Amino acid sequence: MEKRILVTGGAGFIGSNFIHNWFANERDAITNLDKLTYAGNLRNLETVAESSRYKFVLGDICDRELVQDLLAELRPRAIVHFAAESHVDRSIHGPDDFIRTNIHGTFGLLEAARSYWNSLSDEDKKSFRFLHVSTDEVYGSLGPDDPAFSETTPYAPNSPYSASKAASDHLVRAYHHTYGLPTLTTNCSNNYGPYQFPEKLIPLMIHNARSGKPLPVYGDGQNVRDWLYVEDHCEAIRTVLAKGAVGQTYNIGGWNEKPNLEIVHTVCSILDELRPQDPTVPHQKLITFVKDRPGHDRRYAMDARKIERELGWRPRETFESGIRKTIEWYLQHEDWVEAVTSGSYRQWISKQYS
């Protein structure tokens, strides 16, 4: 029987990049279970849609009967769990979806996985993995001189989004320690790269700058994040799935701590070079400081030495190489950007940044 993994949320930003990365490097087939919320986009996967190794299932991880039926039918050797509501601002305005998907959805997925795992032969039990993809935001906020987050940093989430992801992390841990389910958890820093929905900082700045629209920067723009190119993240997830120790957590970071305002200036500078005929040049003229969002964490930083030491992974891209690749991708895929930035997206942006 063909070996297969089940990916949840594979039509989203990181999930779709992971599927492309997987097919470029692995032989196993993939079934992609995705609800196709606003950030899920099947156009991200057009180039693999007809592959005999790829199957898409429209569905919700909260639908436990559907998940149980899928596991019984597909007999996957692993579940890679990306499906989540992931935007802090949206969680502030409407936390309900975050509680439902990130907590109840993960709980239902774990229950289905536990039942499926218990049905496997001893040999298949040993090789099965449940890999849960999480975030550095569960650790809270750092001061300017605080050491970076490690895998043993106490959780201190500050938004409904990060609190819901923290809860899901705890559930995954509990299912390993209580039931023996062979879980793995990864906590990543801020991702950027192709197919990212333009509500997040970098694609939003690219999109607005190209259109001559204001570039909204929260507060003083000095909130610091660690930036991780999405392709590097996907490589790390494959590495953890293949070599990670069951029950362990691995921080995945880019070793690129930068304040948001520096990110925006970098985007503007590259666009000045690549698109000098845009409506407003230099693009940094469009920078507009807006009221800070509630509970805005000041600094995130990731200590990713454990995954390098134990599994041999380290990011390939510098921020300078990754951001140029990212901007060039968006410039070459303006049809994709146009398709995702219509209708309800525009209403959201107006509400959020007015």
Side-chain angles (χ1 to χ4, degrees):
M1 185 176 179
E2 182 181 44
K3 288 187 177 181
R4 179 174 294 270
I5 68 169
L6 175 65
V7 171
T8 70
F13 164 47
I14 303 175
S16 59
N17 275 282
F18 175 79
I19 290 174
H20 286 297
N21 181 277
W22 183 270
F23 284 142
N25 294 281
E26 306 283 354
R27 294 185 177 181
D28 294 13
I30 283 180
T31 293
N32 171 20
L33 174 64
D34 198 297
K35 188 181 176 182
L36 294 184
T37 59
Y38 74 95
N41 187 348
L42 289 180
R43 289 191 63 180
N44 298 1
L45 296 162
E46 283 178 336
T47 59
V48 302
E50 302 303 319
S51 170
S52 61
R53 293 196 293 151
Y54 175 75
K55 178 180 179 180
F56 172 71
V57 176
L58 177 63
D60 189 342
I61 59 170
C62 292
D63 185 344
R64 200 179 306 179
E65 184 177 353
L66 169 64
V67 175
Q68 288 172 337
D69 289 346
L70 267 181
L71 293 175
E73 173 194 346
L74 300 170
R75 313 297 291 176
R77 71 171 183 88
I79 297 171
V80 183
H81 177 35
F82 293 98
E85 296 285 347
S86 66
H87 193 232
V88 173
D89 294 346
R90 287 181 183 267
S91 80
I92 293 170
H93 287 287
D96 296 51
D97 287 342
F98 291 74
I99 303 304
R100 179 183 181 276
T101 299
N102 299 354
I103 300 178
H104 294 290
T106 300
F107 166 65
L109 192 63
L110 284 164
E111 276 288 274
R114 178 167 72 98
S115 177
Y116 166 68
W117 178 69
N118 280 326
S119 74
L120 297 176
S121 66
D122 288 345
E123 183 179 348
D124 288 341
K125 271 188 174 182
K126 289 178 182 178
S127 61
F128 179 79
R129 296 291 183 269
F130 183 107
L131 195 156
H132 172 61
V133 180
S134 191
T135 172
D136 58 359
E137 298 193 35
V138 298
Y139 298 123
S141 186
L142 293 170
D145 300 318
D146 289 340
F149 300 133
S150 74
E151 289 81 359
T152 58
T153 299
Y155 276 29
N158 291 319
S159 71
Y161 161 59
S162 56
S164 67
K165 288 298 287 185
S168 67
D169 290 9
H170 291 322
L171 283 169
V172 172
R173 174 186 170 86
Y175 269 66
H176 171 66
H177 285 275
T178 301
Y179 302 113
L181 188 69
T183 64
L184 298 157
T185 297
T186 58
N187 294 84
C188 69
S189 57
N190 278 37
N191 278 224
Y192 67 100
Y195 301 114
Q196 188 170 30
F197 194 76
E199 66 185 355
K200 299 297 179 77
L201 179 67
I202 288 174
L204 176 64
M205 294 303 120
I206 297 169
H207 177 63
N208 281 15
R210 295 295 329 283
S211 308
K213 296 177 181 178
L215 307 181
V217 176
Y218 281 130
D220 61 2
Q222 295 306 308
N223 298 78
V224 173
R225 300 293 181 261
D226 172 48
W227 293 91
L228 173 65
Y229 189 62
V230 68
E231 185 79 7
D232 281 331
H233 185 196
C234 295
E235 292 279 351
I237 292 170
R238 285 198 305 108
T239 300
V240 172
L241 186 62
K243 300 193 291 185
V246 167
Q248 290 294 301
T249 294
Y250 297 92
N251 281 355
I252 304 172
W255 300 104
N256 288 305
E257 272 191 74
K258 294 184 182 296
N260 288 344
L261 189 59
E262 181 181 335
I263 299 297
V264 178
H265 278 290
T266 300
V267 171
C268 290
S269 176
I270 295 174
L271 285 175
D272 288 348
E273 172 195 338
L274 299 179
R275 289 295 184 270
Q277 305 306 319
D278 277 353
T280 302
V281 176
H283 293 85
Q284 68 180 37
K285 288 181 180 179
L286 298 167
I287 294 173
T288 304
F289 293 93
V290 298
K291 182 181 178 181
D292 209 354
R293 71 184 179 203
H296 195 180
D297 289 339
R298 192 62 172 173
R299 173 178 167 244
Y300 303 148
M302 287 292 261
D303 181 345
R305 288 179 294 178
K306 177 180 175 179
I307 189 174
E308 180 175 2
R309 180 178 66 250
E310 297 185 6
L311 307 184
W313 176 87
R314 187 176 175 86
R316 298 181 184 181
E317 299 292 339
T318 64
F319 183 75
E320 290 69 27
S321 64
I323 191 64
R324 183 168 287 272
K325 285 183 178 181
T326 300
I327 292 172
E328 289 175 347
W329 185 90
Y330 279 93
L331 295 181
Q332 293 162 9
H333 294 82
E334 292 180 338
D335 57 334
W336 182 91
V337 176
E338 177 60 30
V340 302
T341 54
S342 59
S344 60
Y345 168 84
R346 291 188 178 129
Q347 295 171 16
W348 159 251
I349 290 296
S350 176
K351 175 183 178 182
Q352 186 59 35
Y353 293 112
S354 61

